[in-house]
Amino acid sequence: MDLKSKIEDLLNEVAELKASNDKELEALRIKYLSKKGVVSELMNEFRTVAPEAKKEIGIRINKLKTEALEKINGLREQLLASAVTESAENLDLTRTAYPVPLGTRHPISLVKNEIIDIFSRLGFCLADGPEIEDDWHVFSSMNFPADHPARDMQDTFFIEAHPDIILRTHTSSVQSRVMEKQQPPIRVICPGRVYRNETISARAHCFFHQVEGLYVDEKVSFADLKQVLLLFAQEMFGKDTKIRLRPSYFPFTEPSAEMDISCNICGGKGCSFCKHTGWVEILGCGMVDPAVLDACGIDSSKYMGYAFGLGVERITNLKYQIKDLRMFSENDKRFLEEFTAAN
Ligand code: DAH
């Protein structure tokens, strides 16, 4: 067979090439296009072609080379495309999704939500106020007279350029925010972050969290307050929890008290957490001082109320037996991940 018809046959052969997988495709590439392949062999034969036929044969060999290349590339694309459709056909849309790794709620948020939940069930609504506050809402309206030593009980962060603007030292500031907008009956809790200029240690921090409670109506008694706090303690720490009220002093309540609960770490027997007393303080409370009601625009001859402020960190420490306050703000994932199950 002369060279020309041999090339013609090869052109027809190439047009019909098929490959059903990568291996077959590679075999075709080797057969036609590799160094010892069909096209290279033709190039060798080309040297023996008579000069007058060289032009035509040359063109035919080049055509064969381009067509073989295009055909093999086309087959490669087909294989790729069918692999994609095949994997789409194997998609099982009923399969459950891969689990998305969820973060965990911060223990302070967990406990805060639990506190909100308990008081919501008792009919308390949520109220909110700013963390950057003015002196009036944090101190003056709460019956802290100017220059009164009681202000020193709370080491305040001042905004230097505006001595009247401070970081709130307690959520009691939200009491006055609520009362100046709303007349009794008032029954609110105000969760939030507070700031004090304290040296950071295992037992103190420059910011922490409180939940304030305020109840103002025509007839409110200390017995109401005690009952609500007892119920809260037992919901939070279990039915066997006992409470103890000790007389105390706060400018905004009269009488004032601090409440301890029986230490739930040692069950009241005494341990290092409760300093071997069997009791742990968790909140301050009292009957709202009439001067506070008047300062906030509520008629103290008609209304009375009780208030309390509890420390969220203290309650979280007790609930999860955490001995170092700094754990809450260090963002150590090993610590935070321990609360996965509690979410
Ligand atoms: N504001 C007080 C504090 O930060 C806590 C407190 C005590 C709040 C008695 C009250 C209260 O509402 O009645 O130490």
Side-chain angles (χ1 to χ4, degrees):
M1 198 198 290
D2 68 351
L3 193 54
K4 203 173 148 197
S5 11
K6 189 174 167 189
I7 297 172
E8 231 37 60
D9 285 355
L10 282 167
L11 275 166
N12 292 333
E13 194 179 301
V14 162
E16 298 300 317
L17 289 182
K18 283 191 177 50
S20 51
N21 55 41
D22 287 349
K23 229 177 167 182
E24 287 177 22
L25 185 74
E26 181 59 6
L28 293 180
R29 191 194 63 79
I30 292 171
K31 178 172 175 196
Y32 291 94
L33 299 170
S34 67
K35 266 194 185 156
K36 287 183 185 158
V38 171
V39 174
S40 294
E41 260 171 34
L42 287 175
M43 296 288 201
N44 288 338
E45 279 183 52
F46 178 70
R47 281 190 221 122
T48 63
V49 170
E52 63 278 11
K54 268 207 153 105
K55 187 173 175 196
E56 202 196 338
I57 298 288
I59 291 175
R60 303 309 282 165
I61 295 180
N62 267 338
K63 185 168 167 43
L64 177 69
K65 187 179 173 187
T66 339
E67 288 197 1
L69 194 68
E70 277 173 7
K71 182 73 189 180
I72 286 172
N73 283 344
L75 288 173
R76 178 170 299 121
E77 269 165 34
Q78 267 176 29
L79 277 181
L80 267 176
S82 67
V84 171
T85 13
E86 206 171 289
S87 69
E89 275 162 12
N90 289 339
L91 247 192
D92 177 3
L93 293 176
T94 63
R95 186 186 178 285
T96 46
Y98 292 106
V100 180
L102 280 182
T104 55
R105 262 188 227 288
H106 193 279
I108 293 291
S109 300
L110 287 173
V111 169
K112 183 189 78 181
N113 290 343
E114 212 175 325
I115 297 170
I116 293 175
D117 187 56
I118 296 171
F119 284 107
S120 305
R121 279 187 267 134
L122 292 169
F124 284 80
C125 300
L126 275 181
D128 200 7
E131 291 178 16
I132 302 171
E133 258 295 9
D134 51 34
D135 179 280
W136 168 257
H137 290 97
V138 178
F139 291 128
S140 301
S141 67
M142 287 289 107
N143 202 30
F144 287 81
D147 303 326
H148 192 280
R151 290 185 182 227
D152 296 341
M153 282 161 65
Q154 305 185 351
D155 305 289
T156 311
F157 280 117
F158 292 89
I159 311 280
E160 246 172 55
H162 302 276
D164 188 45
I165 306 295
I166 56 181
L167 295 182
R168 68 179 178 196
T169 54
H170 56 179
T171 44
S172 302
S173 57
V174 188
Q175 285 193 29
S176 50
R177 291 251 164 217
V178 171
M179 287 191 277
E180 64 194 15
K181 277 200 225 93
Q182 190 190 330
Q183 284 295 306
I186 293 171
R187 199 187 287 169
V188 290
I189 49 165
C190 329
R193 181 175 285 179
V194 301
Y195 302 83
R196 289 191 198 174
N197 191 356
E198 295 206 18
T199 311
I200 297 171
S201 71
R203 296 185 153 259
H205 212 293
C206 59
F207 65 81
F208 51 97
H209 300 79
Q210 293 185 330
V211 175
E212 191 79 12
L214 175 69
Y215 183 25
V216 186
D217 208 339
E218 283 183 19
K219 284 189 186 121
V220 182
S221 71
F222 201 94
D224 297 333
L225 170 64
K226 187 176 173 190
Q227 198 55 39
V228 160
L229 295 178
L230 175 65
L231 191 132
F232 165 74
Q234 295 188 337
E235 286 287 299
M236 195 75 199
F237 294 105
K239 285 275 166 272
D240 296 332
T241 310
K242 293 184 185 59
I243 64 167
R244 169 173 97 168
L245 287 159
R246 283 178 290 105
S248 184
Y249 170 76
F250 299 102
F252 34 93
T253 41
E254 180 59 36
S256 304
E258 275 166 325
M259 187 177 99
D260 302 338
I261 62 162
S262 47
C263 178
N264 84 323
I265 292 181
C266 61
K269 283 192 211 94
C271 65
S272 62
F273 193 83
C274 60
K275 296 193 195 125
H276 302 282
T277 61
W279 295 95
V280 187
E281 183 202 320
I282 61 163
L283 59 85
C285 62
M287 299 306 289
V288 181
D289 193 304
V292 172
L293 295 176
D294 289 333
C296 298
I298 288 178
D299 183 356
S300 64
S301 63
K302 190 170 172 206
Y303 295 109
M304 56 186 87
Y306 65 67
F308 56 86
L310 46 90
V312 182
E313 273 79 356
R314 190 57 76 79
I315 292 175
T316 313
N317 284 343
L318 269 175
K319 199 157 169 90
Y320 294 112
Q321 318 213 342
I322 298 160
K323 298 213 171 90
D324 192 327
L325 270 183
R326 289 168 292 194
M327 305 287 277
F328 292 129
S329 49
E330 273 170 357
N331 275 340
D332 185 332
K333 276 183 78 186
R334 290 167 303 178
F335 170 70
L336 297 173
E337 277 165 3
E338 286 188 25
F339 297 90
T340 317
N343 273 281

